[in-house]
């Protein structure tokens, strides 16, 4: 069990440390409160010292915002310094995001048993924490940044995300499960011409949104797979709420048997995730992509199709080439029967201040219709 230690009131204290992101417990902890200045907090956090908050909860949120402003100040540009390549820009961006997360993760919030925060003006977060952590009858400490993420996830889960391809019905993402807020990949699955399939697999279903679209399009038997227990619970709840007949099973990629249509929307960037919550975006070495392509021919019925939904952002970042992707198709015994493309609609695609703007502005998401040779 991970713990943090600190000295307060002339005594040494120890308490359990919680981190869904996998962050290690800070080694140095000092007590902080309403009198703590943002400059001092930022300096301590940059040095690796965590601040255990004892003041007003809303003041802690304001402090975190002030620290974020200091981190996000544009760096001074050096004259005659060459622009980094797309690969360099990506790795610099990832390093900066990781350092930002570590620094802002140094403001800590104490919890009493049953996820109660013993601070003035603290919100009731019992439902949000129970959804992410499960019941807990012991005290602990977690970072304020993580707690705010839990609260945001709880609000999204309660409100849901409207899906035009489902007639405006909502998908309710759980904490740690990729939310279909970028709906262009869902629209591709809703628009692609269906093969004559009575059975479909949705590999890596997440919230279950693509399985729901396939069922609503009239595929009689849909099987959705995932290996993450949170995703499995999330998908089952969404599919039950939508009243679609989909079987959800735990599997690493494919379920048993064959199908006339197999759909997969794998993580699109072949890089190492820095936390468990990033596995929906980052796929080290393209493991899921390679596993899906290599296993696809052996799970398709005769005349069936595999639909690979994939952003080409990795190509624009210099992390994978189009030739490498086409070679993966070839070595897996697959040929391209067709392709549908769409452009992203998220705000960062048009934000010139984004460090990866050039790649994001050129990004295309494609549905590759694949059949065996």
């Amino acid at each position: 069990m991970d713990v943090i230690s600190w000295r307060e009131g002339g005594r040494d204290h120890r308490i359990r440390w919680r981190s869904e992101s996998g962050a290690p417990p800070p080694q140095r902890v000092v007590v902080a409160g309403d009198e703590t200045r943002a400059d001092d907090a930022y300096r301590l956090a940059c040095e690796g010292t965590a601040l255990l908050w004892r003041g007003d909860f809303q003041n802690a949120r304001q402090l975190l915002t002030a620290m974020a402003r200091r981190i996000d100040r544009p760096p001074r540009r050096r004259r005659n310094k060459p622009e980094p390549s797309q690969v360099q820009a990506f790795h610099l961006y990832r390093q900066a995001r990781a350092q930002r997360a570590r620094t802002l993760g140094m403001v800590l919030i104490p919890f009493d048993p049953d996820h109660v925060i013993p601070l003035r003006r603290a919100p009731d977060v019992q439902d949000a924490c129970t959804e992410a952590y499960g019941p807990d009858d012991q005290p602990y400490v977690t970072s304020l940044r993580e707690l705010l993420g839990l609260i945001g996830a709880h609000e999204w889960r309660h409100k849901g995300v409207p899906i035009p391809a489902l007639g405006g019905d909502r998908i309710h993402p759980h904490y740690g499960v990729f939310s279909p807020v970028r709906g262009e990949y869902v629209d591709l699955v809703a628009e692609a011409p269906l093969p004559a399939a009575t059975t479909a697999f949705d590999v890596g279903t997440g919230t279950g949104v693509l399985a729901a679209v396939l069922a609503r399009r009239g595929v009689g038997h849909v099987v959705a797979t995932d290996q993450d227990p949170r995703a499995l619970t999330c998908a089952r709840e969404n599919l039950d709420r939508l009243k679609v007949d989909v079987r959800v099973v735990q599997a690493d990629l494919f379920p048993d048997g064959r199908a006339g249509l197999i759909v997969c929307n794998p993580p699109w960037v072949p890089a190492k995730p820095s936390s468990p919550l990033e596995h929906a975006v980052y796929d080290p070495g393209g493991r899921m992509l390679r596993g899906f392509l290599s296993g696809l021919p052996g799970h398709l019925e005769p005349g069936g199709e595999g639909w690979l939904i994939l952003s080409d952002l990795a190509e624009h970042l210099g992390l994978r080439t189009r030739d490498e992707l086409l070679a993966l198709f070839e070595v897996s015994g697959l040929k391209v029967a067709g392709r549908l493309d769409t452009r992203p609609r998220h705000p960062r695609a048009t934000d010139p201040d984004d460090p990866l703007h050039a790649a994001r502005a050129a990004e295309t998401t494609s549905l590759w219709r694949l059949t065996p040779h």
Side-chain angles (χ1 to χ4, degrees):
M1 179 181 68
D2 288 333
V3 299
I4 65 167
S5 304
W6 74 98
R7 190 164 182 80
E8 183 179 6
R11 294 191 301 117
D12 292 329
H13 299 263
R14 286 165 55 88
I15 196 169
R16 185 163 51 106
W17 167 253
R18 295 205 74 147
S19 173
E20 278 298 302
S21 66
Q27 298 301 304
R28 297 188 301 276
V29 179
V30 298
V31 174
D34 298 333
E35 72 289 348
T36 303
R37 298 172 60 249
D39 284 337
D40 295 333
Y42 178 58
R43 174 181 54 79
L44 288 167
C46 289
E47 294 171 352
T49 298
L51 297 94
L52 178 59
W53 194 256
R54 294 302 195 194
D56 180 275
F57 181 86
Q58 301 304 326
N59 287 346
R61 293 191 63 162
Q62 293 177 13
L63 177 75
L64 197 69
T65 300
M67 292 170 63
R69 284 199 300 268
R70 285 157 174 77
I71 296 173
D72 296 337
R73 288 171 181 159
R76 292 182 178 179
R77 296 292 302 273
R78 297 180 184 175
R79 289 184 179 180
N80 302 321
K81 185 178 181 180
E83 289 290 330
S85 67
Q86 284 296 322
V87 174
Q88 291 171 330
F90 170 73
H91 289 298
L92 289 171
Y93 168 79
R94 294 276 286 149
Q95 291 171 7
R97 298 297 296 178
Q99 180 59 47
R100 185 182 193 277
R102 282 193 296 270
T103 302
L104 295 181
M106 289 293 174
V107 178
L108 312 183
I109 297 296
F111 280 79
D112 285 344
D114 300 318
H115 306 300
V116 174
I117 302 174
L119 301 176
R120 296 188 308 277
R121 291 201 295 165
D124 181 352
V125 298
Q126 288 176 285
D127 288 345
C129 291
T130 300
E131 287 171 358
Y133 295 146
D136 198 330
D137 61 359
Q138 299 295 319
Y140 63 91
V141 164
T142 193
S143 79
L144 175 57
R145 182 175 184 271
E146 177 165 308
L147 173 61
L148 296 178
L150 266 64
I151 294 171
H154 172 70
E155 292 172 350
W156 273 114
R157 178 171 175 172
H158 177 73
K159 182 171 63 174
V161 179
I163 306 296
L166 294 174
D169 286 344
R170 293 174 180 266
I171 286 288
H172 297 260
H174 290 196
Y175 178 75
V177 182
F178 186 70
S179 173
V181 289
R182 284 188 56 170
E184 60 264 22
Y185 73 99
V186 182
D187 294 339
L188 287 173
V189 173
E191 296 163 5
L194 276 175
T198 58
T199 299
F201 297 161
D202 175 21
V203 175
T205 193
T207 61
V209 62
L210 297 185
V213 170
L214 294 174
R216 287 276 180 92
R217 292 193 67 186
V219 180
H221 181 56
V222 180
V223 181
T225 73
D226 213 294
Q227 59 179 350
D228 179 6
R230 279 184 172 148
L232 294 167
T233 299
C234 178
R236 289 188 180 110
E237 288 186 8
N238 280 311
L239 295 166
D240 287 346
R241 186 183 295 108
L242 293 168
K243 295 180 171 57
V244 291
D245 186 15
V246 175
R247 185 163 64 94
V248 180
V249 300
Q250 185 167 19
D252 183 4
L253 297 177
F254 300 93
D256 295 333
R258 293 174 179 263
L261 174 61
I262 305 180
V263 177
C264 183
N265 175 37
W268 55 88
V269 180
K272 183 179 178 181
S274 60
S275 74
L277 303 182
E278 290 189 343
H279 282 280
V281 178
Y282 297 101
D283 182 21
R287 174 200 168 275
M288 185 172 180
L289 172 62
R290 294 171 183 274
F292 172 71
L293 294 175
S294 64
L296 183 59
H299 287 86
L300 279 174
E301 294 174 348
E305 288 187 10
W307 289 359
L308 172 68
I309 303 100
L310 191 67
S311 160
D312 66 355
L313 182 65
E315 297 175 19
H316 298 294
L317 292 172
L319 301 172
R320 180 176 57 231
T321 67
R322 177 57 55 91
D323 286 345
E324 288 171 338
L325 179 63
L326 297 177
L328 281 177
F329 296 164
E330 182 68 28
V331 77
S332 300
L334 298 165
K335 62 182 179 181
V336 179
R339 194 182 83 205
L340 280 74
D341 296 331
T342 188
R343 298 301 300 274
R345 299 186 292 267
H346 59 88
R348 287 194 293 182
T350 56
D351 180 6
D353 295 325
D354 188 291
L356 305 180
H357 171 68
R360 295 195 198 280
E363 181 184 5
T364 297
T365 299
S366 300
L367 185 152
W368 297 85
R369 297 173 51 220
L370 305 171
T371 58
H373 277 305

